[in-house]
Coordinates of all heavy atoms in Angstrom, one line a residue:
P480 N -85.8 -177.6 -87.2 CA -85.5 -179.0 -87.6 C -86.4 -179.7 -88.6 O -86.2 -180.8 -89.0 CB -85.5 -179.8 -86.3 CG -86.4 -178.9 -85.4 CD -86.2 -177.5 -85.8
S481 N -87.5 -179.1 -88.9 CA -88.5 -179.7 -89.9 C -89.3 -178.6 -90.6 O -89.4 -177.5 -90.1 CB -89.4 -180.7 -89.2 OG -90.3 -179.9 -88.3
I482 N -89.8 -179.0 -91.7 CA -90.8 -178.1 -92.4 C -91.9 -177.7 -91.5 O -92.4 -176.6 -91.5 CB -91.3 -178.7 -93.8 CG1 -90.1 -179.0 -94.7 CG2 -92.3 -177.9 -94.4 CD1 -89.5 -177.7 -95.4
E483 N -92.4 -178.7 -90.8 CA -93.6 -178.4 -89.9 C -93.2 -177.4 -88.8 O -94.0 -176.5 -88.5 CB -94.1 -179.7 -89.3 CG -95.3 -179.5 -88.4 CD -95.8 -180.8 -87.8 OE1 -95.5 -181.9 -88.4 OE2 -96.5 -180.8 -86.8
Y484 N -92.0 -177.5 -88.3 CA -91.5 -176.6 -87.3 C -91.5 -175.2 -87.8 O -92.0 -174.2 -87.2 CB -90.1 -177.0 -86.8 CG -89.5 -176.1 -85.8 CD1 -89.4 -176.5 -84.4 CD2 -89.0 -174.8 -86.1 CE1 -88.9 -175.7 -83.5 CE2 -88.4 -174.0 -85.1 CZ -88.3 -174.4 -83.8 OH -87.8 -173.6 -82.9
L485 N -91.0 -175.0 -89.1 CA -90.9 -173.7 -89.7 C -92.3 -173.2 -90.0 O -92.6 -172.0 -89.8 CB -90.1 -173.8 -91.0 CG -88.7 -174.2 -90.8 CD1 -88.0 -174.4 -92.2 CD2 -87.9 -173.3 -90.0
E486 N -93.2 -174.1 -90.4 CA -94.6 -173.6 -90.8 C -95.4 -173.2 -89.6 O -96.1 -172.3 -89.6 CB -95.3 -174.8 -91.5 CG -96.6 -174.4 -92.2 CD -96.5 -173.4 -93.4 OE1 -95.4 -173.4 -94.0 OE2 -97.5 -172.7 -93.7
R487 N -95.2 -173.9 -88.5 CA -95.9 -173.6 -87.2 C -95.3 -172.2 -86.7 O -96.1 -171.5 -86.1 CB -95.7 -174.7 -86.2 CG -96.5 -175.9 -86.5 CD -96.6 -176.9 -85.4 NE -97.3 -178.1 -85.8 CZ -98.6 -178.2 -85.8 NH1 -99.4 -177.2 -85.4 NH2 -99.2 -179.4 -86.2
A488 N -94.1 -172.0 -86.9 CA -93.5 -170.7 -86.5 C -94.2 -169.6 -87.3 O -94.5 -168.5 -86.7 CB -92.0 -170.7 -86.7
Y489 N -94.4 -169.9 -88.5 CA -95.1 -168.9 -89.4 C -96.6 -168.7 -89.0 O -97.1 -167.6 -89.0 CB -95.0 -169.4 -90.9 CG -95.9 -168.6 -91.8 CD1 -95.7 -167.2 -91.9 CD2 -96.8 -169.2 -92.7 CE1 -96.5 -166.5 -92.8 CE2 -97.6 -168.5 -93.6 CZ -97.4 -167.1 -93.6 OH -98.2 -166.4 -94.5
D490 N -97.2 -169.8 -88.5 CA -98.6 -169.7 -88.1 C -98.8 -168.6 -87.1 O -99.8 -167.9 -87.1 CB -99.1 -171.1 -87.6 CG -99.3 -172.1 -88.7 OD1 -99.5 -171.7 -89.8 OD2 -99.4 -173.3 -88.3
D491 N -97.9 -168.5 -86.1 CA -98.0 -167.5 -85.1 C -98.0 -166.1 -85.7 O -98.8 -165.2 -85.4 CB -96.9 -167.6 -84.1 CG -97.0 -168.8 -83.2 OD1 -98.1 -169.3 -82.9 OD2 -95.9 -169.4 -82.8
A492 N -97.1 -165.9 -86.7 CA -97.0 -164.6 -87.3 C -98.2 -164.2 -88.1 O -98.6 -163.1 -88.2 CB -95.7 -164.5 -88.2
K493 N -98.8 -165.2 -88.8 CA -100.0 -165.0 -89.6 C -101.1 -164.3 -88.8 O -101.9 -163.5 -89.3 CB -100.6 -166.3 -90.1 CG -99.9 -166.8 -91.4 CD -100.6 -167.9 -92.1 CE -100.8 -169.1 -91.2 NZ -101.4 -170.3 -91.9
Y494 N -101.2 -164.7 -87.5 CA -102.3 -164.2 -86.6 C -101.8 -163.1 -85.7 O -102.4 -162.8 -84.7 CB -102.9 -165.3 -85.9 CG -103.5 -166.4 -86.8 CD1 -102.9 -167.6 -87.0 CD2 -104.6 -166.1 -87.6 CE1 -103.4 -168.5 -87.9 CE2 -105.2 -167.0 -88.5 CZ -104.5 -168.2 -88.7 OH -105.1 -169.1 -89.6
G495 N -100.6 -162.5 -86.1 CA -100.2 -161.2 -85.4 C -99.4 -161.4 -84.1 O -99.4 -160.5 -83.3
W496 N -98.6 -162.5 -84.0 CA -97.8 -162.7 -82.8 C -96.4 -163.2 -83.3 O -96.3 -163.8 -84.3 CB -98.5 -163.6 -81.8 CG -98.0 -163.3 -80.4 CD1 -97.3 -164.2 -79.6 CD2 -98.1 -162.1 -79.7 NE1 -97.0 -163.6 -78.4 CE2 -97.5 -162.4 -78.4 CE3 -98.7 -160.9 -79.9 CZ2 -97.5 -161.4 -77.4 CZ3 -98.7 -159.9 -78.9 CH2 -98.1 -160.2 -77.7
Y497 N -95.5 -163.1 -82.4 CA -94.2 -163.7 -82.7 C -94.2 -165.2 -82.4 O -94.9 -165.7 -81.6 CB -93.0 -163.0 -81.9 CG -93.2 -162.9 -80.4 CD1 -92.9 -163.9 -79.5 CD2 -93.7 -161.7 -79.8 CE1 -93.0 -163.8 -78.2 CE2 -93.9 -161.6 -78.4 CZ -93.5 -162.7 -77.6 OH -93.7 -162.6 -76.3
S498 N -93.3 -165.9 -83.1 CA -93.3 -167.3 -83.0 C -92.9 -167.8 -81.5 O -92.0 -167.3 -80.9 CB -92.2 -167.9 -83.9 OG -92.5 -167.5 -85.3
Q499 N -93.7 -168.7 -81.0 CA -93.4 -169.3 -79.7 C -92.3 -170.3 -79.8 O -91.6 -170.5 -78.8 CB -94.7 -169.9 -79.2 CG -95.8 -168.9 -78.9 CD -95.3 -167.7 -78.0 OE1 -95.1 -167.9 -76.8 NE2 -95.2 -166.5 -78.6
R500 N -92.1 -170.9 -80.9 CA -90.9 -171.7 -81.2 C -90.3 -171.2 -82.5 O -90.5 -171.8 -83.5 CB -91.2 -173.2 -81.3 CG -91.8 -173.8 -80.0 CD -90.7 -174.1 -79.0 NE -89.8 -175.2 -79.4 CZ -88.7 -175.5 -78.7 NH1 -88.4 -174.9 -77.6 NH2 -87.9 -176.5 -79.1
P501 N -89.5 -170.1 -82.4 CA -89.1 -169.5 -83.6 C -88.0 -170.2 -84.3 O -87.2 -171.0 -83.8 CB -88.5 -168.1 -83.1 CG -88.1 -168.4 -81.7 CD -89.1 -169.4 -81.2
Y502 N -87.9 -169.9 -85.6 CA -86.7 -170.3 -86.4 C -85.5 -169.4 -86.0 O -85.7 -168.2 -86.0 CB -87.0 -170.2 -87.9 CG -85.7 -170.3 -88.7 CD1 -84.9 -171.4 -88.8 CD2 -85.3 -169.1 -89.4 CE1 -83.7 -171.4 -89.5 CE2 -84.1 -169.2 -90.2 CZ -83.3 -170.3 -90.2 OH -82.2 -170.3 -90.9
I503 N -84.4 -169.9 -85.8 CA -83.2 -169.2 -85.4 C -82.1 -169.5 -86.4 O -81.6 -170.6 -86.5 CB -82.7 -169.5 -84.0 CG1 -83.9 -169.2 -83.0 CG2 -81.5 -168.7 -83.6 CD1 -83.5 -169.6 -81.5
D504 N -81.6 -168.4 -87.0 CA -80.4 -168.5 -87.8 C -79.2 -167.9 -87.0 O -79.1 -166.7 -87.0 CB -80.6 -167.8 -89.2 CG -79.4 -168.0 -90.1 OD1 -78.7 -169.1 -90.0 OD2 -79.1 -167.1 -90.9
G505 N -78.5 -168.7 -86.3 CA -77.5 -168.3 -85.3 C -76.1 -168.3 -85.9 O -75.9 -169.0 -86.9
A506 N -75.2 -167.6 -85.3 CA -73.8 -167.7 -85.7 C -73.0 -167.2 -84.6 O -73.2 -166.1 -84.0 CB -73.5 -166.8 -87.0
I507 N -72.0 -168.0 -84.1 CA -71.0 -167.5 -83.1 C -69.8 -167.0 -83.9 O -68.9 -167.7 -84.2 CB -70.7 -168.7 -82.2 CG1 -71.9 -169.3 -81.6 CG2 -69.7 -168.2 -81.1 CD1 -71.7 -170.5 -80.7
Q508 N -69.9 -165.7 -84.2 CA -69.0 -165.1 -85.2 C -67.6 -165.0 -84.6 O -66.6 -165.0 -85.4 CB -69.4 -163.7 -85.5 CG -70.7 -163.7 -86.4 CD -71.3 -162.4 -86.6 OE1 -72.0 -161.9 -85.7 NE2 -71.1 -161.7 -87.7
S509 N -67.4 -165.0 -83.3 CA -66.1 -165.0 -82.7 C -65.3 -166.2 -82.8 O -64.1 -166.2 -82.6 CB -66.3 -164.6 -81.2 OG -67.2 -165.5 -80.6
V510 N -65.9 -167.3 -83.2 CA -65.2 -168.6 -83.6 C -64.4 -168.3 -84.8 O -63.3 -168.8 -85.0 CB -66.2 -169.8 -83.7 CG1 -65.4 -171.0 -84.3 CG2 -66.8 -170.1 -82.3
V511 N -65.0 -167.7 -85.8 CA -64.4 -167.4 -87.1 C -63.5 -166.1 -87.0 O -62.4 -166.1 -87.6 CB -65.4 -167.3 -88.2 CG1 -64.8 -166.9 -89.5 CG2 -66.2 -168.5 -88.3
D512 N -63.9 -165.2 -86.2 CA -63.2 -163.9 -86.1 C -63.0 -163.6 -84.6 O -63.8 -162.9 -84.0 CB -64.0 -162.8 -86.7 CG -63.3 -161.4 -86.7 OD1 -62.2 -161.4 -86.2 OD2 -63.9 -160.4 -87.2
P513 N -62.0 -164.2 -84.0 CA -61.8 -164.1 -82.5 C -61.7 -162.6 -82.0 O -61.9 -162.4 -80.8 CB -60.5 -164.8 -82.3 CG -60.3 -165.8 -83.4 CD -60.9 -165.0 -84.6
D514 N -61.3 -161.7 -82.9 CA -61.2 -160.3 -82.4 C -62.5 -159.7 -82.0 O -62.6 -158.6 -81.5 CB -60.6 -159.4 -83.5 CG -59.1 -159.8 -83.7 OD1 -58.5 -160.4 -82.8 OD2 -58.6 -159.6 -84.8
M515 N -63.7 -160.3 -82.3 CA -65.0 -159.8 -82.0 C -65.3 -159.9 -80.5 O -66.4 -159.4 -80.1 CB -66.0 -160.4 -82.9 CG -65.8 -160.0 -84.3 SD -67.2 -160.4 -85.4 CE -68.4 -159.2 -84.9
A516 N -64.5 -160.6 -79.7 CA -64.8 -160.8 -78.3 C -63.5 -161.0 -77.5 O -62.5 -161.3 -78.1 CB -65.7 -162.1 -78.1
P517 N -63.5 -160.7 -76.2 CA -62.3 -160.9 -75.4 C -61.9 -162.4 -75.5 O -62.7 -163.3 -75.8 CB -62.7 -160.5 -74.0 CG -63.9 -159.6 -74.2 CD -64.6 -160.2 -75.4
P518 N -60.6 -162.7 -75.2 CA -60.1 -164.1 -75.2 C -61.0 -165.0 -74.3 O -61.3 -164.7 -73.2 CB -58.7 -163.9 -74.6 CG -58.3 -162.6 -75.0 CD -59.5 -161.7 -74.8
G519 N -61.4 -166.1 -74.9 CA -62.2 -167.1 -74.2 C -63.7 -166.8 -74.2 O -64.5 -167.6 -73.8
K520 N -64.1 -165.6 -74.6 CA -65.5 -165.2 -74.6 C -66.0 -165.2 -76.1 O -65.2 -165.3 -77.0 CB -65.7 -163.8 -74.1 CG -64.9 -163.5 -72.7 CD -65.4 -164.4 -71.6 CE -64.7 -164.1 -70.3 NZ -65.0 -165.0 -69.2
H521 N -67.3 -165.0 -76.2 CA -67.9 -165.1 -77.6 C -69.1 -164.2 -77.8 O -69.8 -163.8 -76.8 CB -68.3 -166.6 -77.9 CG -67.1 -167.5 -78.0 ND1 -66.4 -167.6 -79.1 CD2 -66.5 -168.3 -77.1 CE1 -65.4 -168.4 -78.9 NE2 -65.4 -168.9 -77.7
V522 N -69.3 -163.9 -79.0 CA -70.5 -163.2 -79.4 C -71.4 -164.1 -80.3 O -70.8 -164.8 -81.2 CB -70.3 -161.9 -80.2 CG1 -69.7 -160.8 -79.2 CG2 -69.3 -162.1 -81.4
M523 N -72.7 -164.1 -80.1 CA -73.6 -164.9 -80.9 C -74.7 -164.0 -81.5 O -75.4 -163.3 -80.7 CB -74.2 -166.0 -80.0 CG -75.1 -167.0 -80.8 SD -75.6 -168.4 -79.8 CE -76.5 -169.4 -81.1
S524 N -74.8 -164.1 -82.8 CA -75.8 -163.3 -83.5 C -76.9 -164.3 -83.8 O -76.7 -165.4 -84.4 CB -75.2 -162.8 -84.8 OG -76.2 -162.4 -85.7
C525 N -78.2 -163.9 -83.5 CA -79.3 -164.8 -83.8 C -80.4 -164.0 -84.6 O -81.0 -163.0 -84.1 CB -80.0 -165.3 -82.5 SG -78.9 -166.4 -81.6
F526 N -80.6 -164.4 -85.8 CA -81.6 -163.9 -86.7 C -82.9 -164.7 -86.5 O -82.8 -165.9 -86.5 CB -81.1 -163.9 -88.1 CG -82.2 -163.5 -89.1 CD1 -82.3 -162.1 -89.5 CD2 -83.1 -164.4 -89.7 CE1 -83.2 -161.7 -90.4 CE2 -84.0 -164.0 -90.6 CZ -84.1 -162.6 -90.9

Side-chain angles (χ1 to χ4, degrees):
S481 68
I482 295 289
E483 181 178 339
Y484 180 103
L485 300 175
E486 190 70 20
R487 290 190 182 280
Y489 171 55
D490 284 343
D491 291 327
K493 278 193 302 187
Y494 299 106
W496 204 246
Y497 53 84
S498 304
Q499 296 304 289
R500 294 284 290 176
Y502 164 67
I503 301 175
D504 187 28
I507 305 176
Q508 290 167 285
S509 48
V510 171
V511 177
D512 185 359
D514 292 337
M515 295 190 73
K520 314 298 181 184
H521 292 278
V522 290
M523 185 174 186
S524 163
C525 293
F526 175 90

